Amino acid sequence: MARRFPRVMGLAKMCRNRNISFKSLDPPSSLTHGIHIFHCPDAVGIVAKLSECIASRGGNILAADVFVPENKQVFYSRSDFVFDPVKWPRVQMEEDFLKLSQTFNAIRSVVRVPALDPKYKIAVLASKQDHCLVDLLHGWQDGRFPVDITCVISNHYRGSNTHVIRFLERHDIPYHYLCTTNENKREGEMLQLVQNTDFLVLARYMQILSGNFLRSYGNDIINIHHGLLPSFKGGSPSKQAFEAGVKLIGATSHFVTEELDAGPIIEQMVERVSHRDNLQSFVQKSENLEKQCLSKAIRSYCELRVLPYEENKTVVF
């Protein structure tokens, strides 16, 4: 289940293989928080220029992560910084980082100011199982996700008195039931419903999206798989794992591609099991992992922590 890596994805030679991270104190309440990601060919002086760009406008870096893979000649960074929006207007900030991008022939350079920029607009696709959908909705309600949910789409009918429908009605989030068949996946209607969204979340949506849908949509789609990919692909991975006698079970969040359950991995979580577990306890533990794993992936994506690496991998700061 074509991906485009987050458009929101985006400091020089210190050693052959650098994986640097440093942090400072929390920002003063009077300043505004910004995030910048940078992906470019490796060169001497990138860290210095990034720091200079921010400092020259009165900003202060609170945390920075850098990754330069060995023998790859490519540079990745993510910077958290604070600034005074009066001294460094948002438009000026874009211009400054654009100049930096041009200097280093950046593949990707993105800046985000959560307090000033619009929240990400998402649509959620789900099937019969509620656990991931309900956890996502309550997480959104509690402010754990900087997103606006435009709608929930499902191929499963839910009555008006169900918990999900009552929640959605209370928060004015549309629910669209699209009865699908093998001959008609209703993808044209789905494309209409998800127009103007920044990315999609599959909260246990048990339908395979076609390559045509993925290409037509064009933005990223995050899926949760109830198993440790690349093992136990397809349906019933918990049953597959149980029958294989594994000692660790897990969940995997990944980007959706045309190849089933083969997209770049964003997050994985595991839990130990034993001979004392039965299939029911396997499933219960798996569902808890799915909720946590999907939640972490969405937050990482929104915080610009996920960058493309090689053909089918990710850097997650």
Side-chain angles (χ1 to χ4, degrees):
M1 300 178 79
R3 103 237 170 211
R4 276 172 43 186
F5 278 96
R7 294 172 298 171
V8 298
M9 297 184 299
L11 148 165
K13 293 208 178 215
M14 296 181 182
C15 61
R16 277 296 177 187
N17 190 0
R18 305 193 300 282
N19 193 345
I20 307 166
S21 176
F22 59 86
K23 295 185 178 181
S24 182
L25 300 176
D26 291 335
S29 57
S30 59
L31 298 178
T32 300
H33 170 235
I35 307 167
H36 177 251
I37 56 92
F38 206 52
H39 176 196
C40 68
D42 192 24
V44 173
I46 303 175
V47 175
K49 288 296 184 181
L50 279 168
S51 301
E52 181 185 354
C53 177
I54 295 170
S56 66
R57 298 293 184 178
N60 184 36
I61 295 176
L62 299 180
D65 289 282
V66 169
F67 175 59
V68 179
E70 187 174 7
N71 300 322
K72 297 295 183 182
Q73 293 300 306
V74 63
F75 175 94
Y76 299 88
S77 74
R78 179 185 183 276
S79 304
D80 279 291
F81 61 95
V82 289
F83 68 101
D84 184 337
V86 174
K87 296 179 180 178
W88 199 9
R90 188 69 177 81
V91 174
Q92 183 64 57
M93 181 183 293
E94 289 283 357
E95 293 179 3
D96 291 343
F97 281 119
L98 176 60
K99 291 178 183 177
L100 192 70
S101 175
Q102 293 170 340
T103 298
F104 291 103
N105 296 313
I107 300 164
R108 183 171 291 98
S109 176
V110 180
V111 62
R112 180 165 178 79
V113 181
L116 303 179
D117 296 345
K119 291 182 178 180
Y120 295 107
K121 292 183 179 180
I122 72 168
V124 183
L125 278 64
S127 291
K128 184 175 183 179
Q129 290 181 293
D130 281 344
H131 59 285
C132 285
L133 174 60
V134 169
D135 185 72
L136 195 162
L137 292 174
H138 284 289
W140 166 81
Q141 182 184 43
D142 296 340
R144 282 191 279 133
F145 306 119
V147 301
D148 285 328
I149 301 175
T150 63
C151 66
V152 173
I153 303 170
S154 180
N155 63 329
H156 175 70
Y157 174 77
R158 288 176 171 84
S160 59
N161 200 36
T162 59
H163 173 70
V164 168
I165 298 300
R166 291 199 306 269
F167 182 98
L168 296 176
E169 289 179 344
R170 190 160 62 248
H171 294 281
D172 295 321
I173 300 173
Y175 180 82
H176 302 282
Y177 164 56
L178 298 179
C179 181
T180 62
T181 65
N182 290 333
E183 294 73 30
N184 186 3
K185 299 291 187 178
R186 311 286 291 275
E187 290 188 343
E189 293 164 80
M190 280 199 292
L191 284 169
Q192 290 294 320
L193 295 172
V194 302
Q195 283 188 38
N196 303 317
T197 57
D198 295 299
F199 65 98
L200 303 182
V201 175
L202 307 188
R204 293 302 307 276
Y205 183 65
M206 305 305 291
Q207 299 288 314
I208 297 175
L209 298 174
S210 71
N212 182 63
F213 179 92
L214 301 177
R215 289 186 294 272
S216 297
Y217 178 61
N219 293 335
D220 291 316
I221 303 174
I222 296 174
N223 183 45
I224 182 66
H225 178 80
H226 47 306
L228 278 176
L229 294 174
S231 298
F232 309 122
K233 294 184 179 182
S236 303
S238 293
K239 186 173 185 294
Q240 293 178 52
F242 177 71
E243 292 176 347
V246 302
K247 302 306 180 188
L248 286 173
I249 60 170
T252 303
S253 58
H254 65 97
F255 290 111
V256 176
T257 64
E258 291 190 47
E259 186 177 353
L260 178 64
D261 294 334
I265 292 171
I266 304 169
E267 183 63 58
Q268 290 187 299
M269 293 184 177
V270 299
E271 183 172 337
R272 183 164 292 280
V273 293
S274 75
H275 56 277
R276 299 184 185 278
D277 283 285
N278 56 29
L279 181 56
Q280 182 180 7
S281 63
F282 258 56
V283 172
Q284 289 174 341
K285 290 179 178 179
S286 178
E287 289 183 353
N288 287 332
L289 289 173
E290 290 165 38
K291 292 186 291 187
Q292 297 172 52
C293 192
L294 181 60
S295 176
K296 179 74 179 295
I298 295 170
R299 289 199 305 273
S300 293
Y301 186 95
C302 292
E303 293 170 2
L304 307 192
R305 297 186 182 276
V306 186
L307 291 82
Y309 175 45
E310 297 186 332
E311 184 178 353
N312 202 44
K313 299 179 181 179
T314 57
V315 170
V316 182
F317 285 124

